[in-house]
Amino acid sequence: FDPAALRTCKAASEFDAIPRVLPHLFSERPATKLLAAMAMQHWCEHGQMARLALKKGAGRALQRMLAVQGTAVGDDPTNDKISRVAARTLTSIATVNRDAESAYSMHRATQESLEALARLDATLIIQAGARRLLARRQPPPENRPWA
């Protein structure tokens, strides 16, 4: 929670922070990517910043980031957090933006991204269950005294 959110947004706008943060959405470091997505989410909760972010290409960048995150394999909880923050940011942009066509396409992209995340979560759960089941069914190796 930022008690001075409007002041923070004004400072971000004055220093042209959005184009400076966008490249960090594609950082190799998950923590950097998460912080960039969280900053974008915070700024895009305010109308003027959301419209500015959309004009600077944040919508397309967040959609690309979600597409990349959706293909990430593994059980890293940071990837899930990044994807959810990016999806919420797109929802904020769509909600704040009064242009109906743009809002509709952003909302649709967000819904598709959330559906892709749900499919990925389900796939990971099924794979983990299958691994546990296979581990229980395999007999212990005979030549290992500790098995």
Side-chain angles (χ1 to χ4, degrees):
F1 175 72
D2 182 6
L6 290 176
R7 221 174 341 158
T8 304
C9 287
K10 184 179 178 187
S13 177
E14 287 173 6
F15 292 107
D16 204 21
I18 290 174
R20 295 170 198 257
V21 170
L22 288 178
H24 295 288
L25 293 174
F26 300 98
S27 171
E28 294 295 319
R29 300 174 64 189
T32 301
K33 201 182 296 189
L34 180 61
L35 287 172
M38 290 171 72
M40 291 301 299
Q41 180 186 13
H42 175 71
W43 294 332
C44 290
E45 289 176 353
H46 303 283
Q48 181 182 359
M49 288 297 285
R51 284 187 283 282
L52 181 62
L54 196 57
K55 189 190 314 183
K56 298 282 185 175
R60 286 186 299 279
L62 288 163
Q63 288 172 348
R64 259 192 358 256
M65 186 180 110
L66 275 173
V68 170
Q69 288 297 117
T71 62
V73 178
D75 296 314
D76 185 5
T78 308
N79 284 333
D80 186 47
K81 288 177 187 173
I82 294 167
S83 297
R84 292 185 194 285
V85 169
R88 278 190 238 119
T89 305
L90 282 170
T91 302
S92 294
I93 291 172
T95 302
V96 170
N97 186 15
R98 299 295 179 208
D99 181 2
E101 181 181 331
S102 180
Y104 174 74
S105 71
M106 285 292 158
H107 178 69
R108 188 179 43 151
T110 301
Q111 287 301 101
E112 290 170 0
S113 299
L114 289 174
E115 289 169 8
L117 278 174
R119 284 192 301 273
L120 180 63
D121 287 344
T123 302
L124 291 174
I125 290 169
I126 291 169
Q127 287 176 349
R131 276 190 236 112
R132 282 193 301 270
L133 183 63
L134 286 173
R136 277 190 246 144
R137 287 187 179 175
Q138 289 181 346
E142 295 176 19
N143 58 353
R144 291 187 196 162
W146 61 84

